[in-house]
Amino acid sequence: MDKQTEIEAAAFRRLLEHLDERKDVQNIDLMELAGFCRNCLGKWYQQAANERGVELNKEQAREIIYKMPYAEWKEKYQTPRD
């Protein structure tokens, strides 16, 4: 792995840590402010894996991003919208 890839991987891991630390920030808020959310990251992760010959489904990719099954994260941390 070259240095740029190492740096990008480290920055991505830090982004995931930051999102994990900020469970109070809802996906809808991320979408409205930044144009992407945790689910987008999961989709991008899945696509990158599949493009490289690694079979990964949507739920497996989301579990990597959320650090737990998506359904469990939703139950624990997603707040109802008005």
Side-chain angles (χ1 to χ4, degrees):
M1 186 181 318
D2 65 16
K3 281 290 181 201
Q4 180 176 349
T5 302
E6 287 180 30
I7 293 165
E8 290 168 349
F12 180 73
R13 286 190 299 270
R14 183 61 191 105
L15 172 61
L16 293 183
E17 288 172 20
H18 180 73
L19 290 173
D20 191 51
E21 292 166 2
R22 294 299 313 266
K23 291 180 179 80
D24 60 308
V25 178
Q26 299 295 298
N27 281 331
I28 189 70
D29 299 326
L30 287 170
M31 283 300 292
E32 289 174 354
L33 294 171
F36 78 99
C37 68
R38 293 170 182 89
N39 291 332
C40 296
L41 287 174
K43 182 171 71 174
W44 300 337
Y45 193 98
Q46 178 190 13
Q47 289 171 343
N50 293 164
E51 288 168 1
R52 287 156 183 82
V54 176
E55 286 300 317
L56 197 66
N57 67 37
K58 180 170 78 172
E59 291 307 313
Q60 291 169 318
R62 283 181 172 181
E63 190 165 337
I64 290 166
I65 301 302
Y66 286 92
K67 299 184 178 182
M68 66 181 67
Y70 177 58
E72 181 181 336
W73 191 94
K74 275 179 63 174
E75 185 177 311
K76 287 182 175 182
Y77 303 109
Q78 188 167 313
T79 58
R81 296 294 287 181
D82 295 329

